[in-house]
Amino acid sequence: MARAFLTKLLQTLLVLFIVSIVAFWFLKLAPGDPVMMLLGSEYSPAAHAKLTQDLGLDKPIAVQYVDWLGRFVQGDWGTSYITRADIWTQAVMQALPVTLALSAAALAIALLVGIPVGMIAALKRGGPVDWVVSSLSLLGSAFPSFFLGIVLIWVFGVALGWFPTMGFVRPWEQFWSGVHHLALPAITLAAYYCGLIAITTRASLIEVMEKPFINAVRARGEPMWRVVGVHAMRNVMMPLVTVIGLQLGGLLRGAVMTEVVFAVPGLGMMITTAVLSREYGVVQAGIMLTALFFVLVNLLVDQTYTWLDPRLRSR
């Protein structure tokens, strides 16, 4: 098991290394000149040449990459050209916690709503409850998050005035105010995953409930809540964890769009603003943090498999 974990860890480092190369090279190929944007009205060929040299942008790309990677792994992520703020502080201390809070809230809503709803649909299979739940699940999965966000802003923010339409208050500093600001963005982000989890739970539970071992459990006279909640749901968790693990990367992508719609100052807003202003260092930091989150989630999913199915521990 330790060998398998070490292999996964090495694969994770290799993936991060490849992501760093691709991100660095593609950003250098992107149109636009950050030096011209920095100089603005003070542009002159001499000033351009001097600032290019000061920023190290006159060196070959391979040399720039090695310099950047060496400083990056030591925690020196540089300084923003525009705000003059430290990129590590801006990305890790300010933007990352906001995105993680939004993603965690959305995932919690999706699990707390999607699993029970999927269970009810499976147990009421073929009835009106099943039809309503299945239709709403498909509708939630089909709605683009940015469109749903605009609808929620208009209904609950503008028309009813129940929730703020933009901005963010950190829940770990002011809990209720933070939850109030987080509600609409989290519901917007959770809608797709809520439908997906409900559909997966329903389909998996229907399949498991027809297995011979469930009939054996029923024959022993165990109550229905134990048959479903203990014996059946344990087997449903494997496909559910697979779907959640595969979709967590998408959750982060959805968080980027949701942050832009609700003006939430997370990684998505940071990367979007940095792309528009050609802030290569900030964009690279955002991409690396996103990739790190994705591979860590995959590691966690792999470990969850072994916890759910002990047979995998010996492989």
Side-chain angles (χ1 to χ4, degrees):
M1 189 163 172
R3 184 178 177 182
F5 181 77
L6 185 61
T7 303
K8 279 288 178 186
L9 190 62
L10 291 175
Q11 289 174 346
T12 298
L13 294 175
L14 179 62
V15 168
L16 291 175
F17 178 63
I18 294 172
V19 168
S20 73
I21 294 175
V22 173
F24 193 90
W25 250 260
F26 271 86
L27 284 174
K28 292 297 179 185
L29 295 175
D33 185 349
V35 177
M36 288 184 68
M37 293 192 68
L38 284 173
L39 290 173
S41 60
E42 298 177 2
Y43 174 83
S44 69
H48 185 279
K50 184 175 186 309
L51 186 56
T52 301
Q53 186 177 16
D54 291 344
L55 296 175
L57 299 177
D58 58 332
K59 298 176 182 176
I61 292 181
V63 175
Q64 291 183 44
Y65 171 75
V66 172
D67 288 346
W68 169 79
L69 186 63
R71 287 184 280 106
F72 190 86
V73 296
Q74 295 178 56
D76 179 9
W77 292 13
T79 304
S80 166
Y81 298 158
I82 305 297
T83 64
R84 308 308 301 170
D86 180 66
I87 295 177
W88 166 271
T89 303
Q90 183 180 352
V92 177
M93 305 302 290
Q94 297 175 357
L96 181 62
V98 175
T99 298
L100 291 181
L102 174 60
S103 301
L107 183 61
I109 292 172
L111 292 174
L112 290 175
V113 176
I115 292 178
V117 164
M119 291 173 67
I120 293 171
L123 297 177
K124 303 290 184 183
R125 180 185 181 187
V129 174
D130 182 22
W131 185 86
V132 171
V133 168
S134 298
S135 301
L136 289 177
S137 299
L138 287 173
L139 191 65
S141 302
F143 255 86
S145 61
F146 71 90
F147 180 71
L148 180 61
I150 292 171
V151 172
L152 292 179
I153 287 174
W154 187 79
V155 175
F156 295 102
V158 178
L160 298 175
W162 290 355
F163 296 98
T165 56
M166 60 177 60
F168 183 80
V169 174
R170 294 169 181 261
W172 51 93
E173 293 176 355
Q174 301 177 49
F175 181 75
W176 291 115
S177 180
V179 171
H180 195 209
H181 279 77
L182 203 57
L184 289 186
I187 293 171
T188 300
L189 186 57
Y192 170 80
Y193 300 96
C194 189
L196 186 65
I197 289 171
I199 292 170
T200 305
T201 302
R202 176 188 176 277
S204 302
L205 187 56
I206 287 174
E207 183 182 348
V208 171
M209 290 297 286
E210 294 174 350
K211 298 282 186 184
F213 79 92
I214 291 293
N215 293 330
V217 172
R218 282 176 167 169
R220 289 204 302 265
E222 293 202 24
M224 195 60 183
W225 69 268
R226 275 190 61 85
V227 174
V228 176
V230 177
H231 299 285
M233 283 307 293
R234 185 176 180 86
N235 289 273
V236 170
M237 290 309 292
M238 285 290 281
L240 202 54
V241 167
T242 303
V243 169
I244 294 170
L246 290 174
Q247 293 296 325
L248 278 177
L251 184 71
L252 207 59
R253 287 197 302 274
V256 171
M257 186 65 71
T258 305
E259 287 173 8
V260 173
V261 172
F262 287 91
V264 175
L267 275 180
M269 276 291 287
M270 186 193 78
I271 294 174
T272 304
T273 306
V275 167
L276 294 176
S277 57
R278 306 293 188 273
E279 281 260 46
Y280 293 151
V282 178
V283 178
Q284 285 155 7
I287 292 173
M288 293 303 294
L289 282 175
T290 305
L292 180 63
F293 176 82
F294 189 79
V295 296
L296 287 179
V297 165
N298 276 279
L299 268 179
L300 182 62
V301 170
D302 281 345
Q303 294 306 305
T304 306
Y305 283 154
T306 59
W307 177 70
L308 289 172
D309 189 350
R311 294 172 299 178
L312 298 176
R313 294 172 192 169
S314 57
R315 296 181 184 176

